[in-house]
Amino acid sequence: MLAGLREVLDPAVAAHSGVGAFNIICLEHAEAVIWGAEAANLPVVLQVSENAVLYHRSLEPILIATVALARNADVPAVVHLDHVTDVELVHAGVALGATSVMFDGSRRPYDENVAVTADVVRHCHKHGVDVEAELGEIGGKDGVHAATARTKPHEAQDFVADTGVDALAVAVGSSHAQTERSTRLDLGLVERLSEAVDVPLVLHGSSGVPDDELVRAVRAGLTKINIGTHLNATLTRSVRDALTDQARLVDPRKYLGPARDKVADEVERLLRLLSKSG
Ligand SMILES: [Zn+2]
């Protein structure tokens, strides 16, 4: 069933456990994430990023398909728009049935980020939609998600109070699009942030973080764990192997089907790992 973000994160916070949030690029991703969550019998977040929307040249087909899969799921499934910088896209997503939005104003000056994020929160809350956001750029060319960037607890506290967001993305040592799983996080900072801030904390760029560190991160106070690249690697490895082994394959179902099963298995495994962290 379609669920709200806080509906899924609040029980996880109370249980000191984590919830997996997986990026959806194509229909097979959405199917795999739902099937994996059903196999684990655990709630899940499906995220469609602004970049995925640009790839499809349209929001509607990929979002409506994802909402349909979530609605028909046997487990609570949040449909979340990820890294949205365009306020119009927030409005369109809310109108089409997204239950959660990550508004990314991190490239804007702090005061403007606060003002625009607060506007997004007002609009979304009117429609029963939760909002995740992040503070401004704090170092590195990858901004808030550079491995060297760190969120300051007092700034996080002010940002949440000034914007009214429902979840906060924090910079604690991870960065996006990592294909090696070897990142170590600043777990002391995670603990300080979770004491300072009274909304669930979100880890972006979790693909580069190994299983044992993800477990420690959840224990330290992170709740929503965003995983994109790692599932893409799983999907692509399977497709590459199938095409290498069977040079005459032409039917996409013959290589996408097994790849989708591999992604579903990995989603199931990760959801179980994160849920048991507490
Ligand atoms: Zn991210």
Side-chain angles (χ1 to χ4, degrees):
M1 59 294 282
L2 194 57
L5 186 67
R6 287 291 294 265
E7 201 181 323
V8 158
L9 295 186
D10 285 354
V13 170
H16 303 285
S17 68
V19 176
F22 301 100
N23 284 87
I24 306 304
I25 297 176
C26 56
L27 185 60
E28 280 77 3
H29 276 118
E31 291 162 341
V33 170
I34 293 287
W35 296 352
E38 286 179 338
N41 195 26
L42 287 165
V44 72
V45 181
L46 295 95
Q47 359 195 80
V48 177
S49 73
E50 186 171 283
N51 283 336
V53 172
L54 293 172
Y55 164 75
H56 288 290
R57 304 184 191 173
S58 175
L59 170 68
E60 208 167 328
I62 188 70
L63 189 71
I64 285 184
T66 304
V67 168
L69 283 160
R71 206 172 267 146
N72 293 328
D74 293 341
V75 292
V78 180
V79 176
H80 175 93
L81 284 177
D82 197 31
H83 282 288
V84 178
T85 59
D86 175 0
V87 176
E88 289 304 311
L89 189 61
V90 172
H91 293 184
V94 167
L96 289 171
T99 55
S100 175
V101 168
M102 189 264 189
F103 182 72
D104 182 350
S106 67
R107 284 190 180 80
R108 300 170 188 258
Y110 182 83
D111 289 344
E112 188 186 319
N113 184 12
V114 168
V116 179
T117 303
D119 273 349
V120 165
V121 168
R122 270 190 292 277
H123 176 81
C124 287
H125 284 182
K126 228 190 300 170
H127 295 86
V129 169
D130 294 325
V131 179
E132 173 191 332
E134 64 182 345
L135 279 83
E137 261 180 88
I138 38 178
K141 71 176 170 61
D142 196 25
V144 73
H145 296 303
T148 51
R150 294 289 182 272
T151 304
K152 293 190 181 72
H154 67 276
E155 288 180 3
Q157 211 166 28
D158 290 347
F159 184 77
V160 170
D162 292 347
T163 56
V165 293
D166 306 287
L168 186 71
V170 291
V172 293
S174 61
S175 65
H176 281 125
Q178 297 297 301
T179 51
E180 300 280 323
R181 299 183 80 211
S182 57
T183 302
R184 294 292 155 194
L185 301 171
D186 192 339
L187 297 175
L189 176 59
V190 173
E191 280 173 20
R192 292 197 297 282
L193 284 165
S194 80
E195 276 164 30
V197 173
D198 60 1
V199 297
L201 301 180
V202 183
L203 183 66
H204 283 244
S206 315
S207 291
V209 184
D211 284 356
D212 60 344
E213 190 76 348
L214 286 178
V215 168
R216 281 191 283 270
V218 169
R219 266 188 211 137
L222 289 165
T223 307
K224 177 173 175 272
I225 307 296
N226 289 7
I227 298 171
T229 301
H230 176 64
L231 291 192
N232 288 338
T234 304
L235 183 110
T236 303
R237 193 181 311 115
S238 173
V239 170
R240 185 179 289 119
D241 289 350
L243 295 181
T244 305
D245 292 350
Q246 304 164 73
R248 301 168 76 94
L249 258 189
V250 288
D251 184 341
R253 289 170 293 193
K254 297 268 167 48
Y255 53 87
L256 285 178
R260 180 178 56 184
D261 290 342
K262 288 268 184 345
V263 173
D265 289 348
E266 190 57 7
V267 167
E268 178 187 355
R269 193 189 71 77
L270 285 164
L271 286 174
R272 287 188 198 278
L273 177 87
L274 296 171
S275 81
K276 283 190 194 118
S277 300

